[in-house]
Amino acid sequence: IDLYNNKRITDKGVEILLKGTKLKRLYLQGCSDITNAVSDAIVKYGSSLEYLDLYRCDQITFSGIRNII
C-alpha cells in the first residue's frame, strides 16, 4: 500500500493497517507523523512485509530502524 507523503497517517493507523492485513509492501515515505512507535507495530504485525519505505519519515531515528531490522 502506498501512503506516500500522507500527513494524516499516524503510528496507530499503521498498527491498525498491519494488524488487519498481510501487506507485502508498505510505502510511508514522507509521512511526517510516523515516529519510532511504528517500529513496534512493524515488528509485531508486519512479518509479511517484503519492502518497507521509511524515507523522509524524519521522526524515526536510528533506534527505531534498528528495532525493525
Side-chain angles (χ1 to χ4, degrees), residues 9-54:
I9 192 74
T10 63
D11 297 327
K12 188 64 175 174
V14 173
E15 179 180 345
I16 290 167
L17 181 67
L18 289 171
K19 209 174 190 179
T21 62
K22 296 291 181 194
L23 293 178
K24 296 232 181 259
R25 294 177 170 267
L26 181 57
Y27 299 87
L28 296 172
Q29 178 180 342
C31 294
S32 57
D33 286 341
I34 299 298
T35 69
N36 282 342
V38 83
S39 66
D40 293 331
I42 291 168
V43 168
K44 190 171 183 178
Y45 302 113
S47 62
S48 64
L49 285 175
E50 295 173 0
Y51 182 85
L52 176 64
D53 183 350
L54 296 172

